[in-house]
Amino acid sequence: MVQLTGDNRLHCDVLVVGSGGAALSAALRSAAAGLSVIIAEKSVWLGGTTAMSGGATWVPANHHARAAGIADSPQEVMRYLTGSAPEGWEATESALWQAFADSAGEMLQFVEQHTPLRFALTSEGDPLANVGGAIKQGRMVAPLPLRASVLAEKSWKIRPSPLPQLYTYHETIGLDIWHHPLRESLRMAPKLAWRALTRTRTKGAALVTGLLEGCRRLGCRIETDARVEKLLTSGDSRVSGALLNQHGKLLHVTAARGVVLACGGFEWDAQRRTEHFPGSTDFIASPRSNSGDGHRMAEDVGAKLAHMDQANIGGGIPARYLGEPYGLSVFFQYEPNAILVNRHGRRFVNEFTFNLGEALDARDESGMPAHLPAWMIADAGLLSRSPLLRYYAWRTPGWLRKAHSLSALAAEINLPEAVLQETVSRFNGFCLRGEDTDFQRHLSSAHGKSDKRLRGGLLPIENGPFIAIPFNRTFLATKGGPRTDEYGRVRHRNGNIIQGLFCAGVGMANPIGTRAVGAGTTLGPNLTWGYICGRTLAQGVMQETERYPEVQQCTD
C-alpha cells in the first residue's frame, strides 16, 4: 500500500514515471507481485503515445499463434532480430534481444490474465520477409474492442487519439478507409453506431483502458498533472525516489525498490532533437509532454545514453490535435502515381518500403541528412484517388503545391528542372514496362501483406496539374535514451548498474531502433520492456493472484 508520511511525502515500493504502454506494463507486473506502485503522469491525460496509436502490437512466440497452429520460437525470433539489425548492433543488443524474445509471449499472456484486455492475431506477416526467422503470420496482434465502462475509475481521462477510434486495427488494415471513407463507413454503419452508443474503445484507447483497469484492480495509485522533476539518490548513489511537482506543490516520493522511467521520447525537446536529428522536420506526431524529462533526469545521476539518433520516422500531413498544430502520421505515399525525390530532384528510395524512415534520415559524411528536404511528386490523379488527402490539403493552404507543368513545379519548390523532368520520365518508363528497375517497387507489399493500396503500384505521372508535397521527417517517437541491461536496469557511464533505476519504452536506448521489424515494433517491445522491469523489481516477492472474470469484452 502507498503510504502517506507527511503533507508533502509519499512512500511506495515502485514509482513509475509515465502512463503509456511501457509504464502501465511495468506498474501492472510490479503490483501483481504485491508491490505498492505510484504512477506519475506529467499530463492531465493518461496513456501517452500508446493511447493515440493504432494498437498494432508485435509479440513473437505468443499463445494466440500457438493456438492457431503457427510455429514460432525465441530461437526463430533471434534469427529475425539478428538478421534484420543494422551492422554492429548485435554486439551491444544481443542480450536485450534474447530477453525480449524470451519474455514477449509471457508478457502477453500475463496482460490478458490480469486485465480485461483480449488480443487477436492480425493477418500480417513480418515485413522483412527475406530475413531468416521471418514468418508469414502470428507475431502481430491487436486488442479487441473494450467498453469504456470497464474502467471503474471514471475521473481518469484517457488521451484522445487523432485516429478514428470506432474502427479496430483489424478493420483498418482490412478496409480501404483512406481512399473510400464514405463507402467503408456506410458498410460498417450498424457496427460503428453500436460502438458509439455503447462507448466502445478500440486501438490504443482500448489498450490503455484495459491496462489502467488492471493497474487499478491491483491497487496502483495514479497521479496526473504530476511532473517528476528530479531523481533522488541515497548515500550509496542508489536511486531512492524522486521529487514530483503536482499543481505547484512539490512532493517527496520515496521508492523503496526503484523508479521506472517510461515517460516517452525527447522529440519535443527542440534543442536535443536538433542536436541528434539536424535538418528538415515536417511534424511531430506525439504528445507535447514527450520532452525528454527521463533523459535529463537519468543523465543527472550518471546514466549512459545511447541510440540517440534512432526514432520512429515517417511522412506526415498537417492536422490539429487538442487545439494545437500536429502532424498526422499516415502512409499517404502509398500511391501508384507518386514518387519521392530528394533535394537534388532524384528518387532515393522505394516509396512502398516498410522502413521508409531509415531512408528519410540517411546521413552524409558530415552527419547531416543526405536527402532532405524531400518532396512527394504526383499528378492530378492523386487527389481524385485520395479524398482524405484532398481534405487535409484544403484545411492547410500552401502545404500542397500545384503547377501546370513539371518545369513550373520544379521552380516552385526549388528543384533542378532538368533533373526532375528526367526522374519523372524514367519512372514513367518503368510504369510502361511494369518493372521498377531502380528500387523494385513492383515487388513491394506493405507490412508483410498485400495492401490494397499497393496493387498496381506503378502508374505514370503525366496529367497536370502536377503536385508536390513536403515529405521530410515526421517523428512518432525518438528511440534513444539510457542504456539498460537485459533486466531493464540503467547503466552508469562507468559501466556499472545504477541501483534502483530502470527504463523502458521509447525512452530507453531501444534495442530495435529506426529499422523496425514489424508494424507493432513500438508497442510490443515497449510492453515487454515494461514487463521485464516490473518482473525484475518483483523478484522474490511474486505471489499467486486470481484471474479477473468480470470482463466486458466486445466481440461485435
Side-chain angles (χ1 to χ4, degrees):
M1 175 181 288
V2 175
Q3 297 177 6
L4 295 172
T5 56
D7 287 345
N8 65 338
R9 289 183 175 271
L10 294 172
H11 178 87
C12 60
D13 293 317
V14 178
L15 172 64
V16 177
V17 186
S19 66
L24 296 178
S25 181
L28 186 76
R29 183 61 178 84
S30 300
L35 301 179
S36 59
V37 178
I38 294 176
I39 300 169
E41 168 54 50
K42 173 182 175 180
S43 169
V44 297
W45 301 99
L46 292 166
T49 310
T50 301
M52 300 169 69
S53 74
T57 312
W58 193 73
V59 185
N62 67 75
H63 60 287
H64 291 293
R66 287 196 299 275
I70 299 171
D72 197 9
S73 69
Q75 292 76 24
E76 287 301 290
V77 179
M78 283 298 291
R79 284 185 65 211
Y80 184 59
L81 291 173
T82 303
S84 60
E87 185 177 355
W89 278 49
E90 184 177 4
T92 58
E93 310 305 322
S94 182
L96 278 74
W97 293 337
Q98 189 67 64
F100 166 72
D102 291 338
S103 303
E106 178 185 315
M107 175 278 297
L108 190 67
Q109 202 154 15
F110 178 88
V111 166
E112 288 196 335
Q113 179 179 348
H114 291 277
T115 77
L117 283 165
R118 299 295 179 266
F119 293 80
L121 295 175
T122 78
S123 60
E124 299 155 294
D126 291 327
L128 310 180
N130 295 327
V131 175
I135 63 176
K136 295 181 178 180
Q137 188 189 8
R139 291 175 178 166
M140 275 292 298
V141 299
L144 296 176
L146 204 61
R147 291 184 184 172
S149 58
V150 161
L151 186 56
E153 179 49 68
K154 306 305 180 187
S155 65
W156 291 344
K157 298 196 299 183
I158 293 178
R159 179 173 286 280
S161 174
L163 302 170
Q165 282 293 308
L166 291 178
Y167 293 97
T168 68
Y169 178 77
H170 301 85
E171 291 161 354
T172 300
I173 63 173
L175 302 172
D176 191 0
I177 302 169
W178 179 254
H179 288 125
H180 304 288
L182 181 60
R183 184 192 73 186
E184 302 294 20
S185 296
L186 291 174
R187 179 188 301 180
M188 295 281 294
K191 186 174 287 189
L192 300 181
W194 177 249
R195 288 176 186 166
L197 183 67
T198 56
R199 296 180 61 237
T200 294
R201 292 169 174 163
T202 65
K203 299 190 178 82
L207 182 55
V208 169
T209 296
L211 289 171
L212 281 172
E213 177 59 13
C215 289
R216 186 203 66 81
R217 291 170 175 176
L218 291 170
C220 295
R221 174 172 177 165
I222 298 182
E223 299 290 342
T224 59
D225 200 11
R227 177 173 182 166
V228 178
E229 294 193 343
K230 181 181 180 180
L231 296 174
L232 301 175
T233 56
S234 57
D236 59 356
S237 298
R238 177 187 178 88
V239 172
S240 56
L243 291 179
L244 187 155
N245 191 328
Q246 187 175 40
H247 311 308
K249 181 180 180 180
L250 203 60
L251 301 176
H252 184 292
V253 182
T254 300
R257 292 207 171 231
V259 176
V260 181
L261 298 176
C263 42
F266 62 84
E267 56 273 10
W268 282 101
D269 180 342
Q271 181 176 345
R272 201 186 289 265
R273 188 185 69 244
T274 301
E275 176 186 353
H276 297 289
F277 296 92
S280 303
T281 293
D282 282 341
F283 307 107
I284 299 175
S286 69
R288 289 177 178 265
S289 51
N290 287 15
S291 55
D293 291 351
H295 303 73
R296 172 183 51 78
M297 291 188 291
E299 274 191 306
D300 287 346
V301 296
K304 177 181 176 61
L305 303 188
H307 295 335
M308 295 294 282
D309 61 348
Q310 301 294 300
N312 285 346
I313 296 170
I317 58 179
R320 294 189 70 80
Y321 177 72
L322 297 178
E324 299 279 355
Y326 170 83
L328 186 63
S329 180
V330 292
F331 300 107
F332 69 94
Q333 81 279 5
Y334 284 172
E335 297 292 344
N337 58 330
I339 59 174
L340 297 180
V341 301
N342 61 19
R343 65 174 181 265
H344 306 297
R346 300 192 183 280
R347 285 180 76 203
F348 61 96
V349 68
N350 172 0
E351 293 81 3
F352 295 172
T353 192
F354 176 69
N355 277 311
L356 182 65
E358 194 172 26
L360 286 175
D361 195 46
R363 311 292 178 91
D364 60 22
E365 297 80 4
S366 69
M368 294 297 292
H371 301 298
L372 305 183
W375 296 87
M376 176 172 154
I377 305 297
D379 66 4
L382 174 70
L383 296 183
S384 63
R385 290 171 51 86
S386 308
L388 288 179
L389 184 63
R390 190 165 65 242
Y391 167 75
Y392 283 106
W394 170 77
R395 286 274 306 265
T396 314
W399 172 63
L400 182 148
R401 319 290 178 84
K402 289 184 182 180
H404 66 280
S405 68
L406 282 173
S407 298
L409 188 68
E412 169 77 14
I413 60 178
N414 197 30
L415 290 182
E417 175 188 335
V419 176
L420 183 62
Q421 291 271 18
E422 178 190 348
T423 297
V424 172
S425 176
R426 182 174 177 83
F427 174 76
N428 289 347
F430 295 156
C431 296
L432 290 174
R433 296 193 295 273
E435 182 180 6
D436 175 8
T437 57
D438 283 346
F439 297 103
Q440 289 72 54
R441 192 168 103 178
H442 60 290
L443 302 176
S444 294
S445 64
H447 298 195
K449 67 181 181 67
S450 180
D451 189 297
K452 291 179 180 178
R453 293 174 296 174
L454 305 191
R455 295 173 186 170
L458 294 172
L459 287 179
I461 300 169
E462 56 188 3
N463 298 313
F466 296 93
I467 291 166
I469 298 174
F471 206 98
N472 302 298
R473 296 168 302 196
T474 288
F475 288 90
L476 285 80
T478 57
K479 298 185 78 173
R483 168 70 74 185
T484 64
D485 68 1
E486 62 268 35
Y487 302 103
R489 302 178 300 180
V490 174
R491 290 193 179 278
H492 194 276
R493 287 187 289 266
N494 63 17
N496 294 333
I497 297 298
I498 300 176
Q499 297 299 322
L501 185 60
F502 298 78
C503 192
V506 294
M508 68 191 289
N510 205 286
I512 305 174
T514 304
R515 187 181 298 176
V517 295
T521 308
T522 305
L523 286 184
N526 285 1
L527 288 166
T528 304
W529 281 108
Y531 175 83
I532 289 171
C533 289
R535 185 177 63 194
T536 303
L537 284 157
Q539 282 178 343
V541 294
M542 185 61 194
Q543 54 196 23
E544 281 298 315
T545 54
E546 297 294 324
R547 287 179 180 269
Y548 294 111
E550 60 274 27
V551 174
Q552 289 178 269
Q553 195 70 47
C554 297
T555 56
D556 61 349

